[in-house]
Amino acid sequence: MTIFTDLISNVALLLALSILYSFLTRIWKQGEIPGQILAGILFGGVAVAGMMQPLNYAPGVIFDGRSMVVSMAGLFGGPVAAAISALIAGGYRLGLGGTGALTGFGVIFTSAALGVGYHYLRRKNPDVTKPSYLFAFGVIVHISMLLWMLTLPWPLAFEVLDKISLPVMLIFPLATLFLAKLLADQEERNYTEDALRKSEEQYRLHFENASDVIYSIDSDFRILNITPSVLRVLGYKPEELIGRPFQDLNILATNSLKLAFNNTMQVLSGERISSAIYEFVAKDGTRKFGDVSGAPLLRNGKVTGETKPNETSPK
């Protein structure tokens, strides 16, 4: 029972890796060299931390979660991260010495190589991050680890395999799956957040550089946002209009106010306005006609109480 509890205790240390890796990937993208180097240092450091609290099976023969850590370095960080983490973890294991030093060194580099192989397989087929594939990956890594036990002196090798095989194969593949899913999910969240930031930036650039006047209003007819093109078209700066009801701004001729009100209420009910001619009053008093289209802003299929009309430049 001690073998099981010691291995589980060591695996628990690895959960901190997912949190640290999440912060790391927010700073540097995976493909960037600084990010790969830092990932390698992070994975290598966690592997060393695991070796500081190992299951001591016999003098010089220890078991810990380094096989999982360096395989994750290869899988998520790629070859650079895998090489760095393997060098750090391998150097530390050799420094510990003992009968199983070379065996432990071999486990580290085999696990890193398997992770790198899976990294390139993942590039070709993203489906391999599904739980069944990740569990299979964990099984392969830890069968390889057990095979390395045969490099121990033979009487000890068979004794180790007899005692450690079942606990290792029950705990480590599942722990590999769990750790990999945590890292993959956090990686996906980072990608999603990055894509959202890029989308918002792209929208902002389109909005700010639109030639037509685009604006949004709420159910109280307050202007929530308006493109800078309103300065060219009507002579108003956006900050002069935002937050104020458009009926109080005198930017619509009296004969267009009722039409605008009816159209806005129609949009707030969930309908679209494909075209409506409004008469606008510029800041200098000149009058211009514009063709306005409008659509409701929806959230989870429901109208949010805001409309987003798209007004072509008045002429």
Side-chain angles (χ1 to χ4, degrees), residues 220-223 241 243-250:
D220 293 323
F221 300 92
R222 287 190 303 267
I223 296 176
L241 305 176
R244 301 177 62 188
F246 67 76
Q247 64 267 34
D248 294 345
L249 294 169
N250 298 318

Side-chain angles (χ1 to χ4, degrees), residues 39-57:
I41 295 172
L42 169 63
F43 283 107
V46 173
V48 169
M51 283 185 277
M52 290 179 177
Q53 301 179 39
L55 162 65
N56 290 289
Y57 182 83

Side-chain angles (χ1 to χ4, degrees), residues 20 27 41 59 87 92 100 122 125 149 188 195 199 203 208 211 219 242 246 257 284 314:
L20 294 171
I27 301 172
I41 295 172
L87 286 171
Y92 184 81
R122 182 188 178 202
N125 182 13
M149 297 304 107
E188 183 63 27
S199 176
Y203 173 78
E208 292 182 353
S211 58
S219 56
I242 293 174
F246 67 76
L257 275 173
D284 62 6

Side-chain angles (χ1 to χ4, degrees), residues 49-71:
M51 283 185 277
M52 290 179 177
Q53 301 179 39
L55 162 65
N56 290 289
Y57 182 83
V61 180
I62 62 174
F63 290 89
D64 49 73
R66 82 190 91 123
S67 53
M68 285 180 283
V69 175
V70 294
S71 68

Side-chain angles (χ1 to χ4, degrees), residues 61 99-100 103 149-160:
V61 180
T99 305
T103 299
M149 297 304 107
L150 295 173
T151 62
L152 294 170
W154 275 45
L156 178 61
F158 290 120
E159 178 187 336
V160 168

Side-chain angles (χ1 to χ4, degrees), residues 5 15 44 55 58-59 81 84 87 99 112 120 124 132 136 153 205 222 240 247 256-257 264 284 290 293:
T5 55
L15 298 181
L55 162 65
I84 293 172
L87 286 171
T99 305
Y120 287 110
K124 295 180 180 179
S132 58
L205 289 173
R222 287 190 303 267
E240 295 180 83
Q247 64 267 34
S256 292
L257 275 173
T264 300
D284 62 6
S293 60

